[in-house]
């Protein structure tokens, strides 16, 4: 519970409540943009389309726009999000108004006029002027650990898009090539430098593949992260190993990210420690640690830890491919009190990319690296090692 007397002293500048953003300021900013809305929204979509998963295979597709004209591309730019304050990030994301229309997932194989407009919106590389006619005033929002926040919604009556959609030529080629498998489409777009968030949107609206399907956004993000990192890992397995233990540290907005790269064959681990008062441990009294990992052969099941696993694996595999080196990668994250709002897996992906831009500490032995790390972390190192690839047996094996 936020105390009013703290708000008076803070005025959204000191964060005396312990949060990493000001909920009052975010609420006011978002409402300023949408408070006068009734049933028509006219603005420049970044572009944004959200595909829900409720009632699958009959799901809601939401073309979205803020009630703002101009260059809104930063509304969909993870690098901009990372460098913005949480106040600014939440304000712009929660001002995105969604108009929902229900489709069967197979509708993407033979889209009607409305779905074609939505696909045209999704594949554009630049903001598109959109008019959404809604059946009622929009309400609600989406806050999810896999997805960037989204603003209010209402059933869609009609959509009109201006003729200013500008897809990249490579995106257009993938969209119109119905003999190209979805996996090949994902990798083609990635190799041409299309951002993974954009690729996920194209996949979600049925914009690639032989047998076109609508894919819930939550699933498409993970599918893209996994598909690309699977491909990169096959390249990594052909490289020579690093020759020293490397430790990377990044502290950012009440999060601590640590990567330990150990000489040897590829394997991967992602772990999270949620402190009391953080997003998924708001009312707990102790630190909750979750860890998932995979061996050289990979894994066949979905990691219990969720989409952050593949987001972090993508960023890690990108880094090792850029160096043409192989390693066992151990990544741990601590989330502290005050970081209590789900913002999406992009936050992990972009932070790990930034993490690997740092200069590492290097060590000759794993034990020395662990001793270094345990003095930085606030959680008990033994809680990690019980679940980690860094077990006593594997450390002994590595040292031999």
């Amino acid at each position: 519970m936020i105390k009013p007397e703290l708000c008076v002293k803070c005025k959204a500048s000191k964060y005396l409540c312990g949060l990493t953003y000001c909920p009052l300021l975010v609420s006011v900013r978002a409402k300023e943009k949408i408070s006068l809305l009734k049933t028509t929204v006219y603005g420049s979509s970044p572009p944004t389309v959200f595909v829900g998963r409720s009632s699958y295979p009959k799901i809601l597709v939401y073309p979205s726009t803020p009630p703002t004209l101009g260059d809104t591309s930063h509304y969909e730019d993870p690098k901009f999000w990372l460098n913005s304050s949480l106040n600014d990030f939440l304000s712009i994301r929660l001002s995105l108004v969604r108009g929902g229309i229900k489709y069967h997932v197979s509708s993407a194989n033979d889209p009607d006029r409305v779905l074609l407009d939505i696909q045209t919106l999704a594949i554009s590389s630049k903001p598109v002027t959109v008019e959404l006619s809604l059946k009622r005033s929009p309400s609600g929002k989406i806050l999810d650990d896999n997805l960037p926040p989204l603003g209010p919604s209402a059933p869609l009556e009609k959509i009109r898009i201006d003729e200013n959609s500008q897809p990249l030529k490579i995106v257009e080629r993938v969209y119109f090539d119905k003999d190209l498998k979805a996996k090949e489409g994902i990798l083609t777009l990635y190799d041409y430098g299309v951002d993974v968030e954009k690729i996920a949107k194209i996949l979600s609206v049925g914009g690639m593949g032989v047998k076109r399907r609508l894919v819930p956004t939550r699933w498409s993000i993970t599918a893209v992260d996994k598909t690309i990192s699977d491909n990169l890992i096959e390249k990594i397995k052909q490289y020579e190993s690093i020759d020293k233990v490397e430790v990377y540290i990044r502290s950012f907005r009440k999060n601590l990210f640590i990567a330990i790269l150990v000489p040897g064959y590829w394997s991967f681990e992602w772990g999270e420690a949620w402190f009391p008062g953080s997003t998924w441990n708001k009312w707990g009294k102790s630190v909750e640690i979750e860890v998932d990992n995979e061996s050289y052969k990979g894994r066949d099941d979905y990691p219990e830890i969720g989409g952050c696993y593949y987001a972090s694996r993508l960023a890690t595999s990108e880094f090792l491919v850029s160096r043409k080196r192989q390693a066992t990668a151990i990544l741990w994250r601590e989330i502290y009190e005050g970081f209590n709002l789900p913002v999406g897996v992009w936050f992990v992906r972009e932070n790990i990319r930034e993490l690997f831009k740092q200069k590492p500490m290097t060590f000759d032995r794993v034990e020395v690296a662990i001793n270094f790390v345990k003095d930085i972390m606030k959680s008990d190192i033994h809680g990690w090692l019980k679940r980690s690839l860094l077990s006593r047996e594997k450390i002994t094996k590595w040292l031999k």
Side-chain angles (χ1 to χ4, degrees), residues 373-391:
V373 166
K374 76 179 179 62
D375 291 334
I376 296 172
M377 301 176 74
K378 295 182 180 180
S379 53
D380 185 355
I381 192 68
H382 295 96
W384 293 96
L385 295 179
K386 286 178 183 177
R387 303 166 174 83
S388 177
L389 287 168
L390 289 172
S391 65

Side-chain angles (χ1 to χ4, degrees), residues 213-254:
R213 288 289 185 269
L214 295 170
V215 181
T217 301
R218 181 187 177 98
W219 302 352
S220 69
I221 292 172
T222 297
V224 169
D225 281 337
K226 182 181 185 303
T227 299
I228 296 171
S229 55
D230 282 348
N231 184 64
L232 295 176
I233 288 165
E234 290 308 306
K235 295 179 181 179
I236 289 169
K237 290 177 179 179
Q238 308 304 314
Y239 300 145
E240 295 292 326
S241 170
I242 60 174
D243 57 6
K244 288 184 179 293
V245 181
E246 301 174 1
V247 176
Y248 299 79
I249 308 289
R250 175 172 167 82
S251 180
F252 186 76
R253 289 183 187 159
K254 301 203 172 185

Side-chain angles (χ1 to χ4, degrees), residues 72-120:
T72 58
S73 55
H74 58 289
Y75 282 56
E76 279 292 329
D77 183 355
K79 291 180 173 55
F80 176 87
W81 299 344
L82 192 68
N83 293 315
S84 301
S85 69
L86 273 178
N87 288 336
D88 292 339
F89 166 67
L90 292 169
S91 296
I92 63 173
R93 292 297 305 181
L94 294 177
S95 69
L96 287 166
V97 181
R98 297 169 289 130
I101 182 169
K102 184 164 284 190
Y103 282 104
H104 191 280
V105 294
S106 62
S107 300
N109 213 39
D110 185 22
D112 61 16
R113 181 68 247 177
V114 173
L115 187 52
L116 273 173
D117 281 345
I118 293 171
Q119 289 179 336
T120 300

Side-chain angles (χ1 to χ4, degrees), residues 249-264:
I249 308 289
R250 175 172 167 82
S251 180
F252 186 76
R253 289 183 187 159
K254 301 203 172 185
N255 281 254
L256 178 68
F257 297 90
I258 292 177
I260 306 169
L261 301 185
V262 182

Side-chain angles (χ1 to χ4, degrees), residues 10-147:
C10 177
K11 298 183 178 64
S13 62
K14 301 176 182 177
Y15 301 102
L16 298 178
C17 62
L19 299 178
T20 51
Y21 66 101
C22 174
L24 295 178
L25 185 61
V26 168
S27 178
V28 168
R29 285 182 177 178
K31 285 180 179 178
E32 281 177 351
K33 294 185 178 181
I34 63 177
S35 61
L36 299 178
L37 292 180
K38 292 186 178 179
T39 58
T40 301
V41 187
Y42 186 69
S44 300
S45 179
T48 303
V49 176
F50 168 70
V51 180
R53 57 177 177 153
S54 180
S55 302
Y56 189 92
K58 293 182 178 179
I59 54 180
L60 285 165
V61 180
Y62 297 87
S64 311
T65 184
T68 304
L69 290 170
D71 184 4
T72 58
S73 55
H74 58 289
Y75 282 56
E76 279 292 329
D77 183 355
K79 291 180 173 55
F80 176 87
W81 299 344
L82 192 68
N83 293 315
S84 301
S85 69
L86 273 178
N87 288 336
D88 292 339
F89 166 67
L90 292 169
S91 296
I92 63 173
R93 292 297 305 181
L94 294 177
S95 69
L96 287 166
V97 181
R98 297 169 289 130
I101 182 169
K102 184 164 284 190
Y103 282 104
H104 191 280
V105 294
S106 62
S107 300
N109 213 39
D110 185 22
D112 61 16
R113 181 68 247 177
V114 173
L115 187 52
L116 273 173
D117 281 345
I118 293 171
Q119 289 179 336
T120 300
L121 173 67
I123 68 173
S124 178
S125 62
K126 295 183 178 180
V128 179
T129 305
V130 175
E131 183 178 295
L132 302 178
S133 297
L134 308 175
K135 294 182 179 180
R136 57 171 172 77
S137 296
S139 61
K141 60 187 174 185
I142 290 181
L143 295 173
D144 185 285
D145 203 37
N146 279 58
L147 310 169

Side-chain angles (χ1 to χ4, degrees), residues 237-364:
K237 290 177 179 179
Q238 308 304 314
Y239 300 145
E240 295 292 326
S241 170
I242 60 174
D243 57 6
K244 288 184 179 293
V245 181
E246 301 174 1
V247 176
Y248 299 79
I249 308 289
R250 175 172 167 82
S251 180
F252 186 76
R253 289 183 187 159
K254 301 203 172 185
N255 281 254
L256 178 68
F257 297 90
I258 292 177
I260 306 169
L261 301 185
V262 182
Y265 293 116
W266 163 264
S267 54
F268 178 78
E269 174 172 298
W270 173 253
E272 298 172 345
W274 294 90
F275 280 65
S278 59
T279 311
W280 302 119
N281 193 13
K282 286 187 180 180
W283 299 282
K285 295 183 179 179
S286 60
V287 180
E288 296 294 333
I289 297 176
E290 287 185 292
V291 176
D292 256 314
N293 43 48
E294 64 186 65
S295 67
Y296 183 84
K297 294 181 180 180
R299 59 185 302 146
D300 297 322
D301 59 336
Y302 185 77
E304 291 184 7
I305 209 165
C308 288
Y309 181 92
Y310 288 113
S312 61
R313 192 179 76 154
L314 172 59
T316 303
S317 56
E318 286 176 334
F319 175 64
L320 288 173
V321 166
S322 72
R323 293 177 59 187
K324 295 187 177 181
R325 286 292 180 268
Q326 184 170 184
T328 285
I330 311 294
L331 277 75
W332 294 338
R333 175 192 180 194
E334 291 186 330
I335 308 98
Y336 306 127
E337 179 182 5
F339 191 88
N340 68 347
L341 195 69
V343 293
V345 298
W346 70 269
F347 184 79
V348 166
R349 189 190 308 111
E350 295 304 321
N351 267 291
I352 299 304
R353 284 171 167 171
E354 291 298 317
L355 171 74
F356 283 123
K357 293 178 182 178
Q358 313 299 319
K359 184 176 181 180
M361 297 289 293
T362 58
F363 304 89
D364 292 324

